[in-house]
C-alpha cells in the first residue's frame, strides 16, 4: 500500500534524489548479495548482451568517464535455474553496459512482478531466455544515459519501461521505444505497476472484447494486477456489470474498486452464481486460468460473446513445477472448431503481452490512451506491497499463494542493516517451515502408498477368496447344466 | 442493375400503387404456378404457423372483411425437398394468415437471395425447418395489416423484413421487431438487398473485427453480397487496405467499389499475392469459404489479428449436395487451441445471422447504424439482377455459379405472358442441357470406372507374375541358407 498512501509529490521529490545516492553504493553493503568474481555483463536488450564494456569494437557512446567502466557495478536479480523461489538470486554485475544507437540506460527504481515471472521460474514461459538470465518485464526509473540517435529521451527523464525480460536489475539498457515518459504526479511504484497489467487489460477489453455500455463481463482473479486494471477500465464505460472471482476476504476491496458481483470461487460454483444473475450469460470472459475454466467460460458466452484467454495460471500449483497440474491443464486446454463458433456467434481470443514485444506501435497506441486515463484520474494502479530485491522470494510467494490485492512491487532501494538481520531470521524459519511442509508431504505420500499397498493386499486376499469360491460355483453350474 | 439505375422517386411512386393491383390478381394468371387444392396456410412466423384463418380461438384482429378470408390467396415459393434448383416450386397458398399480438402482415415486393438459401436447398442449413417450407431470410414490402398491441407500424408503412425463414412469399406475417422502416429514397430492391449482407458485414467488421484506420483486410468473394457490403463499410474508415478475391472479369467493378487489391483466386495463389504487398500479414480475414481456406486465413493474421468465419461455401459444388465436397470441407474445417491463440495474439470468431435471430436488440442497433450510413450516402446495395418468383431456379443458379456482382433479387411482380412463353422454351433447353451434363458426368464416371477396372486387372496380372516368381526366389534363398 506504500505507494498509494504516500503523498505523490513528496515521494517524487525524494526519489529524484536517489540516483546519485545509489551510485555510491557498493555491493559489499549487502551481505546477502552473491558477489561473483566475473559475471558476464548482461543488459535487458538482447542485442546488447554480447557487448561488454571492454569490447573495443563497440564503444559505448554515452559513457563519458572511461575509468568508470571498470568500477561500474550494479545489483541484479538472476534466475539461476528452474525451480522454487530460491532460484532467483541477487547478484552483482560489473562493467558498464554498452549503449547502441536508439538505446537508453535507465537507473531502475521499482520493478513490477507478474504471473509470467512465476511461470518463467518454473520453466513454463518460453519467452524468457535460458538461465542464467535476469527476469522482469516492467520497471520504472530515471534515464542515466542515451545512445546515438536518441532524440526523444534525455538524461533525467522519468520513465516506465516494458521489455520482454531483464528488468529486475538496478541498471537496464533498452531500446527507447520500450520506454514511456511518466506523467506528472505518478509515483515510481505506480509506474512500475502500470505497463503489463493495464496494456493487457486494455487490449483485451477494447480491441478483442469491444466492450460497450450495458455489457457484462467475468474477471477471474479480480484482486490480481490484471483483474484490478480490468475492473477500473470497465468503469470507464457506462453500466458494465463486472462479475469478479476472489476469495471472500478480498470482496470488500474489489467491490469498492468496481466489481458489481464478487464471487468466492473457493466456496461457490461461479457458473451457477453468474447464471442466477445473468441467465443469458456474458458478453466477455477474461480467462487467465486455462484448463477446465476455459470450457466453463466459453459456455457462459452470449451470442456475439468473446472469450479471451490470457494465461494458464492453473498450471501453477506449488513453488516448483507440478507436472500433474501442468499435464492436467494442458490436457484440458480448450480447442474449438469454427463451425461451433459460427453456430454460437462467438469469438475465442488469445492474448499475451510477452508475445507482442515487437509490436511497438500497437503498444505505444495503447499506452497513450492509458496515460491519458491516468491523467484524468480514471485509473490508478493499486499497490499491494513493496519488497526489496533481497526479498524477491517472499514477493513471489505472496503472489503465487494469491495473498495480494493489487500489484506486488520490488524496489531497488537496498535494505537497512537491521532489516536484513530480521530477514535472515525469518528466512531460517521459512526454510524450516518449507522443510516441515516437504517432510509432511513425503510422510503423507508414504502413508498414502502404505494405505494403497494395504488395499492392494486386501483386494488380493478378496480375489483369492473369490477364486477359491469359483471352482465350487463352477461345479454347481455344471450340475445345473447336467440337470 | 434495375433498382440502382431507375430514378428512386419515380420507382417508389409506381411501387406504392401496386398493392391494390396485386390484391385483385388470381393464381390462374400464372400457368406455371402449381395450384394445390388445400395447402396448409403457413406464415413466416413459426408461432403463427399452426393458426389458420378458420381457427375460431384466434380471431385475426386486422382482418376487416370476413368473406375475404376464404378467397384470400397468395403465391409462395416452397422448398419441396432437398436437392437441385427445381426443388423450389411456386405454389398458391389459400386463406388469410392469422395475425397475433405484436405481428404485422406484409405485402412483399422484393426478396433477397442468400448463400444460406442455397445451402438450405441442399439440406445443409439447419436453421430452415424441414420441407415443405418457404425459404427466404429477407424481403421488402408494404404493411397490409397490424396485429393487436402494434403501435410502431401502421398500414401502408414501407418496411424491410429480416426473418429466420419464410419470406419468399407474396404475403408474410412476422413479429414487428423483425421489420424496419425504409428510409426516404430507398427502392424496394435496395431494401430487400440490405438486411442480411449489411448486418453480417457490419457486425463482423465492427464488433468482432474492431476495424480501425490503417488496417488491412481480406474479403473473399468480394463481388458477392457480403463482399460488396464489407467493402463499402471498410471505406467508412480511413485508409483501410482491402484485398478482395474475385474472378478477373469482376475486378474493374470491385476496384471502383473500393477494393484496393483485387486478386483472381482462379489463376493466382492469394496468400502469395497478399504476402507480396503485406509481408506482415493482415488485421482481419473474413472467411465465407471454410475448409482449407480457413487455415490459410489464420496463417495470414498479424498479431492482434482476427479471423472471422461466416460460412462454408466450399461445401457447395454443383446444384445437388456433393458429399465429397461436404466431407472434404468438414474434414478440413479449422479448429484451434487456446495456447496457439495466446502465442499468436489472435482471435477466431464465428458469425451467422441465421443463429442470431432471437437477438432483436443487437440487430436493431446494427440496423440503426446501417440506415444512418445509407441516408448519408456512404453505403448503397448493388443490385446484380432481378428475377421473377417463377425464375427462382435461374436466380439460384446465377448465385451458385458465381456469375453475380452484387445482390440477386426476386420480385413478386408476376411475369408477363410473352415472357413466360420465352421462359418455358429456355427452361426446356436448360433441362436438356442439364441432362446432357448429367449424361456426360455419368459417361465420364463409367469411363473412369472402366479404366480403374483395367488398372486393377493389370495390377492383378503383375501380382500373379510376382507370385509366380516368388517360389523360385524362395528356393534360391533356401539354397543360400543351406550354403
Amino acid at each position: 500500500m506504500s505507494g498509494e498512501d504516500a503523498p505523490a509529490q513528496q515521494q517524487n521529490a525524494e526519489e529524484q534524489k536517489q540516483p546519485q545516492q545509489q551510485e555510491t553504493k557498493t555491493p559489499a553493503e549487502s551481505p546477502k548479495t552473491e558477489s561473483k568474481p566475473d559475471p558476464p555483463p548482461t543488459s535487458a536488450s538482447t542485442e546488447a548482451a554480447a557487448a561488454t564494456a571492454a569490447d573495443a569494437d563497440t564503444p559505448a557512446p554515452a559513457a563519458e568517464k572511461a575509468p568508470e567502466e571498470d568500477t561500474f557495478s550494479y545489483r541484479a536479480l538472476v534466475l539461476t535455474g528452474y525451480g522454487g523461489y530460491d532460484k532467483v538470486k541477487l547478484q552483482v554485475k560489473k562493467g558498464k553496459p554498452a549503449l547502441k544507437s536508439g538505446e537508453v540506460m535507465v537507473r531502475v527504481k521499482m520493478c513490477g512482478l507478474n504471473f509470467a515471472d512465476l511461470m518463467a521460474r518454473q520453466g513454463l514461459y518460453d519467452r524468457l531466455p535460458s538461465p542464467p538470465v535476469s527476469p522482469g518485464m516492467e520497471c520504472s526509473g530515471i534515464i542515466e544515459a542515451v545512445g546515438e540517435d536518441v532524440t526523444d529521451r534525455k538524461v533525467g527523464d522519468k520513465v516506465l519501461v516494458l521489455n520482454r525480460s531483464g528488468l529486475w536489475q538496478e541498471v537496464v539498457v533498452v531500446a527507447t521505444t520500450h520506454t514511456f515518459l511518466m506523467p506528472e504526479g505518478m509515483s515510481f511504484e505506480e509506474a512500475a505497476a502500470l505497463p503489463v497489467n493495464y496494456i493487457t487489460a486494455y487490449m483485451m477489453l477494447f480491441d478483442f472484447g469491444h466492450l460497450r455500455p450495458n455489457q457484462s463481463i467475468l474477471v477471474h482473479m479480480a484482486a490480481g494486477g490484471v483483474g484490478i486494471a480490468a475492473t477500473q477500465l470497465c468503469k470507464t464505460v457506462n453500466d458494465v456489470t463486472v462479475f469478479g472471482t476472489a476469495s471472500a476476504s478480498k470482496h470488500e476491496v474489489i467491490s469498492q474498486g468496481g466489481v458489481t458481483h464478487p464471487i468466492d470461487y473457493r466456496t461457490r460454483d461461479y457458473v451457477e452464481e453468474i447464471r442466477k444473475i445473468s441467465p443469458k450469460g456474458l458478453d466477455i470472459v477474461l480467462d487467465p486460468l486455462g484448463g477446465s475454466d476455459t470450457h466453463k467460460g466459453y459456455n457462459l458466452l452470449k451470442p456475439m460473446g468473446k472469450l479471451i484467454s490470457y494465461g494458464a495460471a492453473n498450471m501453477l500449483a506449488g513453488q516448483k513445477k507440478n507436472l500433474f497440474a501442468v499435464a492436467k491443464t494442458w490436457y484440458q486446454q480448450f480447442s474449438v472448431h469454427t463451425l461451433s463458433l459460427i453456430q454460437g456467434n462467438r469469438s475465442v481470443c488469445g492474448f499475451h503481452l510477452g508475445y507482442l514485444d515487437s509490436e511497438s506501435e500497437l503498444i505505444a497506441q495503447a499506452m497513450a490512451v492509458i496515460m491519458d486515463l491516468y491523467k484524468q484520474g480514471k485509473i490508478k494502479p493499486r499497490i499491494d506491497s513493496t519488497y526489496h530485491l533481497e526479498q524477491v522470494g517472499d514477493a513471489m510467494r505472496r503472489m503465487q499463494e494469491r495473498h495480494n490485492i493489487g500489484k506486488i512491487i520490488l524496489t531497488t532501494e537496498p535494505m537497512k542493516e537491521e532489516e536484513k538481520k530480521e530477514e535472515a531470521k525469518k528466512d531460517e524459519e521459512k526454510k524450516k517451515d518449507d522443510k516441515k511442509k516437504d517432510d509432511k508431504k513425503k510422510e503423507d505420500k508414504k502413508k498414502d502408498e502404505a494405505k494403497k499397498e494395504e488395499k492392494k493386499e486386501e483386494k488380493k486376499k478378496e480375489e483369492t477368496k473369490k477364486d477359491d469360491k469359483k471352482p465350487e460355483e463352477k461345479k454347481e453350474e455344471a450340475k445345473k447344466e447336467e440337470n
Side-chain angles (χ1 to χ4, degrees), chain A:
Chain A
M1 317 277 163
S2 44
E4 269 184 333
D5 301 337
Q9 280 188 321
Q10 190 196 328
Q11 194 182 28
N12 287 343
E14 273 178 31
E15 282 161 347
Q16 271 174 331
K17 285 179 205 156
Q18 284 179 9
Q20 285 76 35
Q21 292 170 11
Q22 286 196 349
E23 276 178 19
T24 60
K25 280 167 199 158
T26 63
E29 277 183 10
S30 160
K32 265 195 77 187
T33 305
E34 294 182 9
S35 185
K36 293 218 170 173
D38 202 6
T42 60
S43 82
S45 164
T46 45
E47 293 85 27
T52 68
D55 190 344
D57 290 341
T58 56
E64 285 147 24
K65 300 165 197 166
E68 197 195 4
E69 285 175 27
D70 301 324
T71 60
F72 193 98
S73 73
Y74 56 99
R75 297 179 308 148
L77 288 172
V78 177
L79 178 68
T80 54
Y82 301 130
Y85 303 125
D86 59 352
K87 292 292 181 185
V88 182
K89 294 189 196 305
L90 188 58
Q91 298 182 347
V92 171
K93 293 183 178 179
K94 282 179 184 169
K96 196 168 187 170
L99 266 182
K100 288 203 294 187
S101 173
E103 289 184 335
V104 292
M105 184 187 290
V106 178
R107 175 66 57 174
V108 176
K109 308 289 292 179
M110 304 279 170
C111 310
L113 200 64
N114 288 293
F115 244 87
D117 300 316
L118 304 183
M119 302 283 277
R121 199 197 64 237
Q122 297 195 358
L124 294 171
Y125 180 56
D126 62 0
R127 299 298 280 170
L128 188 76
S130 300
V133 62
S134 280
M137 298 166 72
E138 59 190 347
C139 70
S140 59
I142 296 169
I143 303 252
E144 195 165 278
V146 298
E148 245 179 298
D149 298 327
V150 174
T151 54
D152 55 347
R153 298 284 179 270
K154 61 183 191 303
V155 173
D157 277 349
K158 294 201 279 179
V159 289
L160 47 86
V161 187
L162 179 70
N163 208 57
R164 185 171 147 185
S165 64
L167 300 187
W168 286 358
Q169 308 190 76
E170 278 180 338
V171 172
V172 298
V173 170
V174 291
T176 178
T177 51
H178 288 224
T179 67
F180 304 87
L181 290 174
M182 280 166 57
E184 201 70 33
M186 184 181 271
S187 73
F188 282 109
E189 276 171 316
E190 285 178 345
L194 196 131
V196 172
N197 292 166
Y198 282 82
I199 293 178
T200 297
Y202 177 81
M203 294 184 85
M204 291 197 299
L205 290 178
F206 297 107
D207 194 353
F208 280 149
H210 193 227
L211 177 67
R212 281 160 300 160
N214 300 311
Q215 291 197 321
S216 55
I217 178 168
L218 168 60
V219 177
H220 281 294
M221 304 204 292
V226 175
I228 284 178
T231 305
Q232 289 180 0
L233 288 169
C234 281
K235 283 191 72 181
T236 66
V237 177
N238 287 337
D239 301 318
V240 170
T241 303
V242 181
F243 292 87
T245 64
S247 50
S249 62
K250 300 175 180 176
H251 284 195
E252 203 185 321
V253 176
I254 63 170
S255 292
Q256 284 166 1
V259 170
T260 329
H261 303 290
I263 302 171
D264 183 2
Y265 66 99
R266 295 180 199 227
T267 59
R268 302 268 176 173
D269 177 342
Y270 65 84
V271 173
E272 261 179 39
E273 296 296 306
I274 291 167
R275 286 279 179 207
K276 272 185 212 164
I277 298 162
S278 282
K280 279 191 72 180
L282 302 169
D283 295 293
I284 301 176
V285 173
L286 300 185
D287 168 38
L289 302 172
S292 61
D293 288 293
T294 316
H295 297 258
K296 289 180 188 173
Y298 184 75
N299 291 326
L300 274 171
L301 291 181
K302 270 186 198 173
M304 297 307 290
K306 291 107 183 166
L307 169 76
I308 307 164
S309 179
Y310 68 103
N314 282 340
M315 281 191 187
L316 282 185
Q319 66 162 305
K320 290 182 191 169
K321 183 152 79 180
N322 180 324
L323 278 177
F324 178 72
V326 171
K328 188 178 161 195
T329 310
W330 180 265
Y331 178 75
Q332 292 180 334
Q333 201 65 13
F334 184 69
S335 103
V336 70
H337 206 276
T338 42
L339 286 186
S340 152
L341 292 169
I342 288 175
Q343 292 183 348
N345 281 294
R346 287 172 184 175
S347 158
V348 175
C349 320
F351 185 86
H352 202 294
L353 196 54
Y355 296 94
L356 211 63
D357 56 350
S358 58
E359 299 296 317
S360 310
E361 209 178 312
L362 275 180
I363 287 169
Q365 283 167 6
M367 193 61 109
V369 183
I370 290 165
M371 291 298 201
D372 210 47
L373 289 171
Y374 178 86
K375 286 178 206 162
Q376 293 172 42
K378 290 188 176 169
I379 59 167
K380 187 173 178 65
R382 181 188 170 91
I383 311 299
D384 170 76
S385 47
T386 306
Y387 289 82
H388 292 281
L389 294 184
E390 292 89 337
Q391 300 166 304
V392 65
D394 294 344
M396 291 190 291
R397 182 193 301 268
R398 184 170 173 84
M399 185 165 196
Q400 187 155 330
E401 294 180 356
R402 311 216 187 154
H403 293 311
N404 58 309
I405 305 182
K407 192 76 178 181
I408 298 175
I409 295 290
L410 299 170
T411 171
T412 55
E413 198 180 325
M415 284 178 92
K416 286 177 190 157
E417 283 309 310
E418 47 279 37
E419 278 183 288
K420 279 182 190 168
K421 279 173 195 163
E422 274 176 35
E423 198 66 21
K425 272 186 198 168
K426 277 187 202 162
D427 260 17
E428 278 305 306
E429 279 162 25
K430 263 176 222 154
K431 273 183 192 165
K432 277 180 196 166
D433 224 50
D434 278 349
K435 205 182 168 298
K436 270 184 197 167
K437 275 184 195 168
D438 276 356
D439 288 349
K440 198 175 174 297
K441 265 189 193 170
K442 277 178 196 167
E443 224 166 275
D444 287 350
K445 214 179 166 186
K446 270 186 194 167
K447 278 182 192 167
D448 270 3
E449 275 166 15
K451 271 185 193 168
K452 274 181 196 166
E453 278 302 311
E454 271 176 36
K455 274 186 187 169
K456 268 187 194 169
E457 284 298 316
E458 277 172 26
K459 224 178 171 182
K460 266 188 192 170
K461 278 178 194 167
E462 274 174 30
E463 274 166 17
T464 323
K465 277 181 194 170
K466 273 184 197 167
D467 282 347
D468 289 345
K469 275 181 194 167
K470 268 178 193 166
E472 287 163 27
E473 282 168 18
K474 276 179 193 167
K475 276 176 199 168
E476 276 175 32
E477 274 166 25
K479 275 180 194 172
K480 276 177 196 168
E481 272 171 27
E482 276 168 30
N483 299 337

